[in-house]
Amino acid sequence: MPLDLTSVHMQFPGREIHWLENTGSTMTVAAQLGAAGCPAGTVVVAEEQTAGQGRFGRIWHSERETGLYVSFVLRLSLAEENLRVLAMTLGLAAAEAIARTADIECDLRWPNDVLIGDKKCAGILVAVEQTTFVAGIGINVNQTAFPVELSPIATSLRLATGRPQSREALLVHLIESADSFLRMLETGGKDPVLRMFTRASSYVRGKHVFVEQEGAEIEGVTDGLDESGFLIVRRPDGTRTTIMAGGVRPK
Ligand code: BTN
């Protein structure tokens, strides 16, 4: 069934919320709206994406009327150092929204994957266009199966709980949580985000991981976040490497 946005509009009166039956990517639509001067906080949600964008140029699997595919237009006045933790901030927001909707405790994989157990249920993508940021959040909600290449690594709220979940309730919770975590970042800076992320993520400390970085692979045990939010990995020879970007997976 398509989203019924009545409850969402009632919860956020005056908020620009664009619903699309089908689009290439909500990221593109949100960037266009942002460039045309739409209000901060504008939400773009699609039932289906034919070219959903993931990190590292990957495709985000966007089955029709099944997941939640949302982009926010953000106009944040943030110092550079706080901007770097934007994706982690939204990861915390997505995890909170999932907990409130489906009563599931998620794990967070640095920097911006949301997991149930060891499988991914949501991902965050941030794009910057001058002073406008477009934050995309994809959540697997009611998928009952995934394409063969994704099924070992992906799950949905429905698969995890054994029952369908309301995408409308999840969208309301997601907007509330994103607003509140972004306010926290704007007013309190990165430190509260880093503390919360460290508490919420099993990946930040003591996890044996592989990190893919520009073609090379680093193996080690995670050893916390530095003050900028980068991941520290202790390698088998005892040296510590700071990971500034890259895909992290468990050993
Ligand atoms: C990731 O690779 O983990 C990030 C995935 C982000 C997917 C969302 S779905 C809504 C928005 N539109 C897109 O095309 N991508 C993001």
Side-chain angles (χ1 to χ4, degrees), residues 25-27 49 52-55 60 69-71 113 120 123-125 136-138:
S25 164
T26 57
M27 299 301 282
Q49 299 185 116
Q53 299 169 16
R55 290 176 75 216
W60 185 255
Y69 318 115
V70 189
S71 290
D113 289 340
K120 181 161 166 172
I124 320 289
L125 189 66
I137 303 178

PDB file of all heavy atoms in Angstrom, residues 25-27 49 52-55 60 69-71 113 120 123-125 136-138, ligand 1:
ATOM      1  N   SER A  25      16.094   9.094  -7.647  1.00  0.00           N
ATOM      2  CA  SER A  25      16.620   9.146  -6.280  1.00  0.00           C
ATOM      3  C   SER A  25      16.054  10.376  -5.576  1.00  0.00           C
ATOM      4  O   SER A  25      16.058  11.472  -6.149  1.00  0.00           O
ATOM      5  CB  SER A  25      18.146   9.226  -6.311  1.00  0.00           C
ATOM      6  OG  SER A  25      18.633   9.647  -5.059  1.00  0.00           O
ATOM      7  N   THR A  26      15.634  10.194  -4.331  1.00  0.00           N
ATOM      8  CA  THR A  26      15.151  11.354  -3.555  1.00  0.00           C
ATOM      9  C   THR A  26      16.287  12.356  -3.327  1.00  0.00           C
ATOM     10  O   THR A  26      16.036  13.526  -3.062  1.00  0.00           O
ATOM     11  CB  THR A  26      14.571  10.916  -2.196  1.00  0.00           C
ATOM     12  OG1 THR A  26      15.586  10.186  -1.494  1.00  0.00           O
ATOM     13  CG2 THR A  26      13.327  10.053  -2.361  1.00  0.00           C
ATOM     14  N   MET A  27      17.543  11.897  -3.420  1.00  0.00           N
ATOM     15  CA  MET A  27      18.684  12.809  -3.234  1.00  0.00           C
ATOM     16  C   MET A  27      18.677  13.890  -4.309  1.00  0.00           C
ATOM     17  O   MET A  27      18.913  15.067  -4.042  1.00  0.00           O
ATOM     18  CB  MET A  27      20.016  12.045  -3.308  1.00  0.00           C
ATOM     19  CG  MET A  27      20.212  10.971  -2.276  1.00  0.00           C
ATOM     20  SD  MET A  27      20.133  11.549  -0.583  1.00  0.00           S
ATOM     21  CE  MET A  27      21.746  12.289  -0.353  1.00  0.00           C
ATOM     22  N   GLN A  49      12.487   3.913  -5.757  1.00  0.00           N
ATOM     23  CA  GLN A  49      13.578   4.616  -6.429  1.00  0.00           C
ATOM     24  C   GLN A  49      14.159   3.687  -7.498  1.00  0.00           C
ATOM     25  O   GLN A  49      14.447   2.516  -7.204  1.00  0.00           O
ATOM     26  CB  GLN A  49      14.672   4.980  -5.445  1.00  0.00           C
ATOM     27  CG  GLN A  49      14.239   5.911  -4.327  1.00  0.00           C
ATOM     28  CD  GLN A  49      15.411   6.320  -3.446  1.00  0.00           C
ATOM     29  OE1 GLN A  49      15.762   7.480  -3.385  1.00  0.00           O
ATOM     30  NE2 GLN A  49      16.032   5.364  -2.781  1.00  0.00           N
ATOM     31  N   GLY A  52      18.338   4.398  -6.668  1.00  0.00           N
ATOM     32  CA  GLY A  52      18.643   4.746  -5.270  1.00  0.00           C
ATOM     33  C   GLY A  52      20.151   4.762  -5.056  1.00  0.00           C
ATOM     34  O   GLY A  52      20.853   3.835  -5.468  1.00  0.00           O
ATOM     35  N   GLN A  53      20.638   5.806  -4.424  1.00  0.00           N
ATOM     36  CA  GLN A  53      22.092   5.970  -4.259  1.00  0.00           C
ATOM     37  C   GLN A  53      22.546   5.494  -2.893  1.00  0.00           C
ATOM     38  O   GLN A  53      22.001   5.895  -1.869  1.00  0.00           O
ATOM     39  CB  GLN A  53      22.472   7.457  -4.378  1.00  0.00           C
ATOM     40  CG  GLN A  53      22.132   8.082  -5.704  1.00  0.00           C
ATOM     41  CD  GLN A  53      22.269   9.601  -5.674  1.00  0.00           C
ATOM     42  OE1 GLN A  53      22.883  10.174  -4.765  1.00  0.00           O
ATOM     43  NE2 GLN A  53      21.697  10.263  -6.661  1.00  0.00           N
ATOM     44  N   GLY A  54      23.563   4.637  -2.887  1.00  0.00           N
ATOM     45  CA  GLY A  54      24.195   4.218  -1.640  1.00  0.00           C
ATOM     46  C   GLY A  54      25.586   4.820  -1.554  1.00  0.00           C
ATOM     47  O   GLY A  54      26.016   5.561  -2.449  1.00  0.00           O
ATOM     48  N   ARG A  55      26.302   4.487  -0.483  1.00  0.00           N
ATOM     49  CA  ARG A  55      27.681   4.972  -0.366  1.00  0.00           C
ATOM     50  C   ARG A  55      28.560   4.260  -1.395  1.00  0.00           C
ATOM     51  O   ARG A  55      28.232   3.206  -1.887  1.00  0.00           O
ATOM     52  CB  ARG A  55      28.230   4.689   1.031  1.00  0.00           C
ATOM     53  CG  ARG A  55      27.582   5.554   2.101  1.00  0.00           C
ATOM     54  CD  ARG A  55      28.095   5.158   3.461  1.00  0.00           C
ATOM     55  NE  ARG A  55      29.441   5.628   3.704  1.00  0.00           N
ATOM     56  CZ  ARG A  55      30.371   4.958   4.399  1.00  0.00           C
ATOM     57  NH1 ARG A  55      30.095   3.769   4.883  1.00  0.00           N
ATOM     58  NH2 ARG A  55      31.572   5.464   4.604  1.00  0.00           N
ATOM     59  N   TRP A  60      21.172   1.656  -3.941  1.00  0.00           N
ATOM     60  CA  TRP A  60      20.374   1.319  -2.749  1.00  0.00           C
ATOM     61  C   TRP A  60      19.106   0.614  -3.219  1.00  0.00           C
ATOM     62  O   TRP A  60      18.282   1.194  -3.917  1.00  0.00           O
ATOM     63  CB  TRP A  60      20.026   2.572  -1.945  1.00  0.00           C
ATOM     64  CG  TRP A  60      19.305   2.237  -0.664  1.00  0.00           C
ATOM     65  CD1 TRP A  60      17.986   2.390  -0.418  1.00  0.00           C
ATOM     66  CD2 TRP A  60      19.878   1.693   0.535  1.00  0.00           C
ATOM     67  NE1 TRP A  60      17.686   1.967   0.862  1.00  0.00           N
ATOM     68  CE2 TRP A  60      18.828   1.536   1.470  1.00  0.00           C
ATOM     69  CE3 TRP A  60      21.174   1.308   0.923  1.00  0.00           C
ATOM     70  CZ2 TRP A  60      19.034   1.028   2.756  1.00  0.00           C
ATOM     71  CZ3 TRP A  60      21.363   0.801   2.197  1.00  0.00           C
ATOM     72  CH2 TRP A  60      20.307   0.671   3.091  1.00  0.00           C
ATOM     73  N   TYR A  69      12.257   5.572   1.945  1.00  0.00           N
ATOM     74  CA  TYR A  69      13.314   6.233   1.177  1.00  0.00           C
ATOM     75  C   TYR A  69      13.095   7.731   1.316  1.00  0.00           C
ATOM     76  O   TYR A  69      12.164   8.276   0.717  1.00  0.00           O
ATOM     77  CB  TYR A  69      13.272   5.791  -0.296  1.00  0.00           C
ATOM     78  CG  TYR A  69      13.019   4.300  -0.445  1.00  0.00           C
ATOM     79  CD1 TYR A  69      11.856   3.810  -1.042  1.00  0.00           C
ATOM     80  CD2 TYR A  69      13.938   3.391   0.077  1.00  0.00           C
ATOM     81  CE1 TYR A  69      11.609   2.441  -1.125  1.00  0.00           C
ATOM     82  CE2 TYR A  69      13.694   2.019  -0.002  1.00  0.00           C
ATOM     83  CZ  TYR A  69      12.531   1.557  -0.600  1.00  0.00           C
ATOM     84  OH  TYR A  69      12.286   0.210  -0.659  1.00  0.00           O
ATOM     85  N   VAL A  70      13.921   8.380   2.117  1.00  0.00           N
ATOM     86  CA  VAL A  70      13.666   9.760   2.516  1.00  0.00           C
ATOM     87  C   VAL A  70      14.923  10.598   2.354  1.00  0.00           C
ATOM     88  O   VAL A  70      16.024  10.151   2.692  1.00  0.00           O
ATOM     89  CB  VAL A  70      13.291   9.829   4.028  1.00  0.00           C
ATOM     90  CG1 VAL A  70      12.815  11.225   4.397  1.00  0.00           C
ATOM     91  CG2 VAL A  70      12.251   8.812   4.384  1.00  0.00           C
ATOM     92  N   SER A  71      14.760  11.832   1.867  1.00  0.00           N
ATOM     93  CA  SER A  71      15.858  12.795   1.910  1.00  0.00           C
ATOM     94  C   SER A  71      15.372  14.070   2.583  1.00  0.00           C
ATOM     95  O   SER A  71      14.226  14.490   2.380  1.00  0.00           O
ATOM     96  CB  SER A  71      16.375  13.125   0.506  1.00  0.00           C
ATOM     97  OG  SER A  71      17.044  12.012  -0.043  1.00  0.00           O
ATOM     98  N   ASP A 113      26.095   3.039   9.217  1.00  0.00           N
ATOM     99  CA  ASP A 113      25.194   1.917   8.945  1.00  0.00           C
ATOM    100  C   ASP A 113      24.417   1.598  10.211  1.00  0.00           C
ATOM    101  O   ASP A 113      24.979   1.619  11.315  1.00  0.00           O
ATOM    102  CB  ASP A 113      25.979   0.650   8.566  1.00  0.00           C
ATOM    103  CG  ASP A 113      26.620   0.755   7.192  1.00  0.00           C
ATOM    104  OD1 ASP A 113      26.180   1.598   6.384  1.00  0.00           O
ATOM    105  OD2 ASP A 113      27.561  -0.021   6.943  1.00  0.00           O
ATOM    106  N   LYS A 120      22.447  -5.303   7.948  1.00  0.00           N
ATOM    107  CA  LYS A 120      22.131  -3.882   7.807  1.00  0.00           C
ATOM    108  C   LYS A 120      20.639  -3.688   7.547  1.00  0.00           C
ATOM    109  O   LYS A 120      20.039  -4.362   6.710  1.00  0.00           O
ATOM    110  CB  LYS A 120      22.948  -3.345   6.630  1.00  0.00           C
ATOM    111  CG  LYS A 120      22.772  -1.872   6.352  1.00  0.00           C
ATOM    112  CD  LYS A 120      23.935  -1.374   5.509  1.00  0.00           C
ATOM    113  CE  LYS A 120      23.669  -0.016   4.924  1.00  0.00           C
ATOM    114  NZ  LYS A 120      24.833   0.574   4.273  1.00  0.00           N
ATOM    115  N   GLY A 123      20.693   2.786   6.052  1.00  0.00           N
ATOM    116  CA  GLY A 123      21.937   3.464   5.696  1.00  0.00           C
ATOM    117  C   GLY A 123      21.688   4.954   5.513  1.00  0.00           C
ATOM    118  O   GLY A 123      20.564   5.379   5.227  1.00  0.00           O
ATOM    119  N   ILE A 124      22.759   5.712   5.679  1.00  0.00           N
ATOM    120  CA  ILE A 124      22.677   7.173   5.622  1.00  0.00           C
ATOM    121  C   ILE A 124      23.636   7.664   4.546  1.00  0.00           C
ATOM    122  O   ILE A 124      24.753   7.158   4.434  1.00  0.00           O
ATOM    123  CB  ILE A 124      23.141   7.824   6.957  1.00  0.00           C
ATOM    124  CG1 ILE A 124      22.647   7.051   8.178  1.00  0.00           C
ATOM    125  CG2 ILE A 124      22.818   9.304   7.014  1.00  0.00           C
ATOM    126  CD1 ILE A 124      21.208   7.125   8.481  1.00  0.00           C
ATOM    127  N   LEU A 125      23.203   8.648   3.814  1.00  0.00           N
ATOM    128  CA  LEU A 125      24.062   9.254   2.787  1.00  0.00           C
ATOM    129  C   LEU A 125      23.929  10.766   2.918  1.00  0.00           C
ATOM    130  O   LEU A 125      22.814  11.283   2.949  1.00  0.00           O
ATOM    131  CB  LEU A 125      23.559   8.805   1.407  1.00  0.00           C
ATOM    132  CG  LEU A 125      24.403   9.143   0.198  1.00  0.00           C
ATOM    133  CD1 LEU A 125      25.739   8.390   0.258  1.00  0.00           C
ATOM    134  CD2 LEU A 125      23.658   8.755  -1.089  1.00  0.00           C
ATOM    135  N   GLY A 136      20.159  11.690   3.107  1.00  0.00           N
ATOM    136  CA  GLY A 136      19.290  10.611   2.663  1.00  0.00           C
ATOM    137  C   GLY A 136      19.320   9.468   3.666  1.00  0.00           C
ATOM    138  O   GLY A 136      20.395   9.091   4.155  1.00  0.00           O
ATOM    139  N   ILE A 137      18.155   8.948   3.971  1.00  0.00           N
ATOM    140  CA  ILE A 137      18.067   7.816   4.895  1.00  0.00           C
ATOM    141  C   ILE A 137      17.208   6.744   4.235  1.00  0.00           C
ATOM    142  O   ILE A 137      16.083   7.012   3.800  1.00  0.00           O
ATOM    143  CB  ILE A 137      17.440   8.245   6.241  1.00  0.00           C
ATOM    144  CG1 ILE A 137      18.260   9.394   6.853  1.00  0.00           C
ATOM    145  CG2 ILE A 137      17.365   7.052   7.201  1.00  0.00           C
ATOM    146  CD1 ILE A 137      17.730   9.929   8.155  1.00  0.00           C
ATOM    147  N   GLY A 138      17.759   5.565   4.119  1.00  0.00           N
ATOM    148  CA  GLY A 138      17.000   4.436   3.588  1.00  0.00           C
ATOM    149  C   GLY A 138      16.834   3.409   4.693  1.00  0.00           C
ATOM    150  O   GLY A 138      17.813   3.024   5.343  1.00  0.00           O
TER     151      GLY A 138
HETATM  152  C1  BTN B   1      24.304   3.504   2.280  1.00  0.00           C
HETATM  153  O1  BTN B   1      24.972   3.116   1.319  1.00  0.00           O
HETATM  154  O2  BTN B   1      24.291   2.875   3.331  1.00  0.00           O
HETATM  155  C2  BTN B   1      23.493   4.765   2.173  1.00  0.00           C
HETATM  156  C3  BTN B   1      22.127   4.466   1.658  1.00  0.00           C
HETATM  157  C4  BTN B   1      21.227   5.672   1.567  1.00  0.00           C
HETATM  158  C5  BTN B   1      19.916   5.328   0.878  1.00  0.00           C
HETATM  159  C6  BTN B   1      18.938   6.467   0.914  1.00  0.00           C
HETATM  160  S1  BTN B   1      17.323   5.990   0.374  1.00  0.00           S
HETATM  161  C7  BTN B   1      16.828   7.654   0.400  1.00  0.00           C
HETATM  162  C8  BTN B   1      17.964   8.439  -0.197  1.00  0.00           C
HETATM  163  N1  BTN B   1      17.877   8.418  -1.643  1.00  0.00           N
HETATM  164  C9  BTN B   1      18.896   7.772  -2.179  1.00  0.00           C
HETATM  165  O3  BTN B   1      19.045   7.622  -3.406  1.00  0.00           O
HETATM  166  N2  BTN B   1      19.732   7.326  -1.248  1.00  0.00           N
HETATM  167  C10 BTN B   1      19.277   7.676   0.081  1.00  0.00           C
END
